[in-house]
Amino acid sequence: MPQAVGDFLILDAVRESNGFACAVSDAAILEAVEDAARLDGLLLCPEGGATLAAWRAAVADGRVSPDETALLFNCATGLKYPMEDRSRQLDRHGPIDFSAI
């Protein structure tokens, strides 16, 4: 995000907790939003997608262990952002592939 309203509070919390911050690409954010929708049924806002993408990067580079518990925040809703139409129709006369639904 270009600038958060409470950016100084966020940075203070990161420093006090000995945490870290990282940047993620727009492509990684979009991928995280898409994955969360497709795999988990969650409609993340881009900020939530950035959090998921950053967590993935931190696990990949070893800053966070895959065994650790992490809490990721999605602070808004994905409903206010345009979504790609992914609707499909089922052939009511043919077999239904439930794994594809």
Side-chain angles (χ1 to χ4, degrees):
M1 302 298 106
Q3 182 175 358
V5 175
D7 56 355
F8 62 96
L9 295 171
I10 295 166
L11 292 173
D12 286 347
V14 169
R15 290 181 186 114
E16 289 175 18
S17 66
N18 294 318
F20 62 89
C22 64
V24 292
S25 69
D26 289 346
I29 292 170
L30 293 175
E31 179 181 4
V33 169
E34 173 69 24
D35 288 348
R38 187 173 79 284
L39 301 172
D40 300 316
L42 300 172
L43 186 54
L44 301 181
C45 62
E47 298 88 341
T51 302
L52 178 55
W55 174 78
R56 288 176 172 176
V59 169
D61 69 17
R63 287 185 283 175
V64 174
S65 167
D67 299 331
E68 288 184 80
T69 299
L71 176 64
L72 308 180
F73 288 94
N74 183 49
C75 298
T77 176
L79 290 174
K80 61 184 181 178
Y81 299 93
M83 294 185 283
E84 185 177 332
D85 182 7
R86 299 214 181 245
S87 58
R88 293 179 278 162
Q89 293 183 347
L90 295 174
D91 178 2
R92 66 185 178 101
H93 301 291
I96 298 173
D97 179 5
F98 287 99
S99 66
I101 297 177

